[in-house]
Amino acid sequence: MKEQNIYEVLIVDDHPLMRRGIRQLLEIDASFLVAGEASSGAEAISLANRLNPDLILLDLNMKGLSGLDTLQALRREGISARIIVLTVSDSKSDIFTLIDAGADGYLLKDSDPEVLLDDIRRGAKGGEAFSAQVAEYLHNRGAEKPDIDPFASLTERELDVLQEVARGLSNKQIAADLHISEETVKVHIRNLLRKLQVRSRVAATVLYFESRGI
């Protein structure tokens, strides 16, 4: 059994020096335990299934399976770990694509180490994990979309669940707050993601905040 408040991390990057640097950064914080390192997407998928980490830090541009391909494969495999993309790319296209594909965060490698560590820690705990520039792109994304209310098709209960998701609560916490089972929470989340045409809790939260001008 994993110790409480200890987050086991899988580092995925095809550059050994970068993996070492990320490991050294995480080792500053006692709440992180590096469970493994992968130099490719295929290795990441294998290790994620074997190690069951709490958090996966995933590079975007890798030889073989790209970060996007790896992310999609991990989600298809049912990997429940939070997955944060850690990359040099600040392209809007990359950011939107990865978030829509199910990434729980998107951090830039050129961030200040202390800021980066804070962002990773917040992401591991279930909060938002976006570099400042990425957060700005996501906040402004709504202005680039047609003025259509994506929430009109949600049921009252789905809206209740979405509000809890936006608060950063886990499925277990949502179930307790709404007096429903965790399985029912999962069903509601699956349905609301489909209706909102997004593929992750983070993307749904971004839409929710955008709709309220937050």
Side-chain angles (χ1 to χ4, degrees), residues 84 107 115-124 128-131:
I84 297 177
L107 301 175
V115 173
L116 184 58
L117 186 59
D118 284 343
D119 287 338
I120 294 173
R121 187 186 303 112
R122 184 164 50 252
E128 292 190 353
F130 303 119
S131 294

Side-chain angles (χ1 to χ4, degrees), residues 7-80:
Y7 301 99
E8 296 188 7
V9 185
L10 173 61
I11 301 170
V12 185
D13 198 297
D14 59 355
H15 291 91
L17 191 59
M18 181 57 65
R19 292 199 305 274
R20 179 182 298 178
I22 297 170
R23 173 185 282 272
Q24 291 174 343
L25 178 65
L26 294 177
E27 287 175 345
I28 295 174
D29 191 327
S31 63
F32 290 118
L33 173 65
V34 177
E37 298 180 14
S39 60
S40 69
E43 186 179 7
I45 297 165
S46 175
L47 284 177
N49 277 297
R50 181 161 60 86
L51 299 175
N52 189 29
D54 302 297
L55 174 67
I56 297 175
L57 296 178
L58 176 64
D59 187 25
L60 177 57
N61 299 310
M62 298 187 294
K63 297 176 182 177
L65 283 179
S66 68
L68 175 59
D69 291 336
T70 303
L71 171 63
Q72 292 173 329
L74 288 167
R75 290 311 189 203
R76 284 196 301 270
E77 291 278 326
I79 300 299
S80 61

Side-chain angles (χ1 to χ4, degrees), residues 54-207:
D54 302 297
L55 174 67
I56 297 175
L57 296 178
L58 176 64
D59 187 25
L60 177 57
N61 299 310
M62 298 187 294
K63 297 176 182 177
L65 283 179
S66 68
L68 175 59
D69 291 336
T70 303
L71 171 63
Q72 292 173 329
L74 288 167
R75 290 311 189 203
R76 284 196 301 270
E77 291 278 326
I79 300 299
S80 61
R82 291 183 65 78
I83 302 177
I84 297 177
V85 175
L86 182 56
T87 178
V88 297
S89 174
D90 59 1
S91 161
K92 287 184 181 180
S93 176
D94 285 338
I95 293 168
F96 297 159
T97 298
L98 270 294
I99 292 299
D100 289 346
D104 295 298
Y106 195 107
L107 301 175
L108 301 177
K109 288 180 177 178
D110 62 358
S111 302
D112 179 88
E114 292 183 359
V115 173
L116 184 58
L117 186 59
D118 284 343
D119 287 338
I120 294 173
R121 187 186 303 112
R122 184 164 50 252
K125 293 179 179 179
E128 292 190 353
F130 303 119
S131 294
Q133 184 175 349
V134 174
E136 182 179 355
Y137 286 159
L138 292 172
H139 182 74
N140 293 330
R141 186 184 188 185
E144 302 172 7
K145 295 181 177 180
D147 188 18
I148 299 174
D149 182 7
F151 301 96
S153 63
L154 299 188
T155 66
E156 183 176 348
R157 181 55 90 185
E158 287 166 354
L159 283 170
D160 290 340
V161 171
L162 178 57
Q163 289 173 349
E164 300 289 272
V165 169
R167 291 174 57 201
L169 300 185
S170 66
N171 288 353
K172 184 176 182 179
Q173 291 170 320
I174 295 173
D177 280 1
L178 299 181
H179 306 291
I180 56 180
S181 70
E182 284 189 63
E183 189 59 38
T184 299
V185 172
K186 292 178 183 178
V187 171
H188 285 314
I189 291 177
R190 184 166 61 246
N191 288 340
L192 70 88
L193 292 182
R194 174 178 52 79
K195 290 179 180 180
L196 295 177
Q197 297 183 20
V198 295
R199 299 185 62 180
S200 74
R201 298 164 71 104
V202 172
T205 298
V206 170
L207 278 181

